[in-house]
Amino acid sequence: MTLKKFSLLTSVFMFLTACADSLGWISRPQDPKDRNYRIEQVRFQGGDANVTLAGELTLPLGQGPFPAIILITGSGPQDRNETIASHKPFLVLSDFLTRNGFAVLRYDDRGVGESTGTFSSENRWKPTLSDFTQDAAAAYRFMQNIPAINQEKIGFLGHSEGGYIASAASEFVPAAFMIFLAAPALPLLPDVMATQVADIARSQGKSQQDIEREKALCRDLTEILRTSPSVADARSQIEKRLQSHGLTQAEIKANMEVWGSDWGRHYASYDPLPVFRRFKNPVLALFGGSDLQVSAAENAPVMKPVLTNPESEVLVLDNLNHLFQPSETGRIEDYILIDTTIDTRALNAISEWLSGIL
């Protein structure tokens, strides 16, 4: 048995990065060629006084004031474009939204790109949901000070874990709306990860026995994280558990960097549903029907009843993967092989919904 895919947050990124590096730079059809609008390089203080976040603000031509959207990346160290497998989904999104009349801010995660601060410490992820939440809230406050932006119409768009972050940030700043792209409604650990492990293993042709063993290991690691008195104790127990399952040292290291961390311990006890319920403004939640990382079948039915605003909407788009690329299988290994960065069905769903609420 192998647990490599349990740590999508490391092994998948490592796989895709290696593929992209081996193939060299790949030009994607949706990469914007002519950005005929205002583009400003910006810096602002993050959630901590010693963190400066760097990013890009794009504004439509004209006087404004414009409604605005802050883009929040998913799990792992991400740049402002959320670059993966040579795709730049947040660059494509910002171009699309700006051409549709929105000011858009996207920024490098702390410790990534031109942003200061630290993403990892001693080879493990250090920032928690709380840190990323405060960074997103700081981005909102930064946007409030820009005269060309309509202060009453600033919202968040979060991809994957970015949905957790956006909803948590809305507890600190008055977001007018939120858009979730493949954002889990269920707890990350063990629910989302256990389903993810099973779906990915099934796509690789693994036996049901192996799938059940991987799901059980996911639950075991969650319990270790939930009950350990410290990160050091959790790391010691996790390492022993992974060794007992026959993982290689490279696989153990990849998983330890993620789960043997403050980030992992936080998510082992985090339930997002109360936060979703407390947000009373409109939400659009899009799910990809073939997503193997955040299951639409598991999460969409849970998300729908907790969004109480009548203008909120939950949509499952068939045959789109976790990146909202066209894919019948959703296989992670195919991300790099698909030319489309974001399917037009997802883009059109976003613009149509925004037109209806603003």
Side-chain angles (χ1 to χ4, degrees):
M1 165 187 168
T2 175
L3 197 64
K4 281 199 297 184
K5 294 303 181 188
F6 174 73
S7 178
L8 89 92
L9 309 166
T10 51
S11 62
V12 170
F13 293 149
M14 291 165 62
F15 168 81
L16 293 171
T17 299
C19 288
D21 288 346
S22 67
L23 294 174
W25 174 250
I26 302 172
S27 177
R28 301 297 187 180
Q30 287 177 291
D31 288 348
K33 305 297 189 296
D34 178 21
R35 298 203 288 163
N36 185 28
Y37 40 76
R38 286 181 285 171
I39 302 171
E40 299 179 9
Q41 303 305 309
V42 298
R43 293 180 183 274
F44 55 94
Q45 182 179 310
D48 298 333
N50 61 342
V51 171
T52 299
L53 299 174
E56 185 174 272
L57 173 64
T58 54
L59 297 128
L61 299 177
Q63 297 265 327
F66 305 104
I69 301 179
I70 299 163
L71 307 189
I72 305 175
T73 64
S75 302
Q78 299 276 354
D79 65 20
R80 67 191 68 181
N81 296 324
E82 205 185 40
T83 304
I84 182 170
S86 79
H87 286 285
K88 296 183 176 182
F90 273 18
L91 177 60
V92 171
L93 270 171
S94 68
D95 180 73
F96 175 81
L97 292 167
T98 305
R99 292 180 186 279
N100 278 272
F102 289 84
V104 182
L105 174 66
R106 63 192 203 284
Y107 57 92
D108 300 327
D109 289 351
R110 56 170 64 196
V112 178
E114 297 178 23
S115 292
T116 67
T118 303
F119 195 97
S120 62
S121 177
E122 298 177 7
N123 295 320
R124 61 182 184 268
W125 293 7
K126 187 173 180 59
T128 65
L129 173 63
S130 176
D131 298 308
F132 296 126
T133 293
Q134 293 305 322
D135 286 346
Y140 185 100
R141 297 184 187 106
F142 168 75
M143 297 285 269
Q144 284 183 307
N145 292 318
I146 299 174
I149 289 176
N150 186 330
Q151 307 303 306
E152 305 300 317
K153 296 182 178 180
I154 304 174
F156 290 120
L157 182 154
H159 177 228
S160 197
E161 187 195 356
Y164 287 154
I165 297 167
S167 59
S170 72
E171 304 260 271
F172 297 92
V173 294
F177 60 88
M178 293 194 293
I179 299 171
F180 298 151
L181 301 183
L186 294 166
L188 180 66
L189 291 173
D191 303 69
V192 174
M193 287 307 304
T195 301
Q196 181 189 109
V197 164
D199 287 346
I200 293 175
R202 198 172 291 113
S203 76
Q204 297 171 331
K206 291 188 178 181
S207 69
Q208 189 60 35
Q209 183 179 17
D210 281 345
I211 290 171
E212 293 303 323
R213 290 175 63 192
E214 293 200 14
K215 289 172 64 178
L217 182 53
C218 178
R219 290 190 290 269
D220 288 348
L221 297 188
T222 301
E223 189 60 22
I224 290 172
L225 289 165
R226 185 179 291 135
T227 58
S228 295
S230 66
V231 172
D233 181 75
R235 287 177 66 82
S236 176
Q237 291 191 59
I238 289 172
E239 185 170 13
K240 291 175 183 176
R241 189 64 56 89
L242 298 180
Q243 287 173 342
S244 71
H245 280 268
L247 271 70
T248 68
Q249 282 304 117
E251 290 167 352
I252 291 173
K253 182 176 184 295
N255 282 278
M256 289 285 288
E257 286 177 3
V258 177
W259 305 115
S261 66
D262 294 315
W263 184 90
R265 288 184 75 220
H266 179 90
Y267 273 121
S269 302
Y270 182 69
D271 181 0
L273 288 180
V275 182
F276 290 142
R277 288 192 185 98
R278 285 194 291 269
F279 187 75
K280 302 305 180 184
N281 290 338
V283 175
L284 172 65
L286 295 184
F287 293 92
S290 60
D291 189 344
L292 300 184
Q293 295 183 223
V294 176
S295 166
E298 295 285 335
N299 287 275
V302 177
M303 182 72 79
K304 193 174 182 64
V306 300
L307 303 180
T308 57
N309 188 289
E311 293 184 298
S312 292
E313 193 168 357
V314 177
L315 295 176
V316 177
L317 303 178
D318 292 339
N319 296 324
L320 297 188
N321 62 21
H322 188 62
L323 303 186
F324 292 87
Q325 300 171 299
S327 172
E328 292 185 5
T329 66
R331 283 169 49 90
I332 295 173
E333 295 87 344
D334 292 343
Y335 291 177
I336 195 167
L337 303 176
I338 302 169
D339 277 341
T340 302
T341 299
I342 304 177
D343 192 273
T344 54
R345 284 183 293 155
L347 295 174
N348 290 337
I350 293 169
S351 64
E352 289 172 9
W353 183 78
L354 286 169
S355 297
I357 68 161
L358 297 177

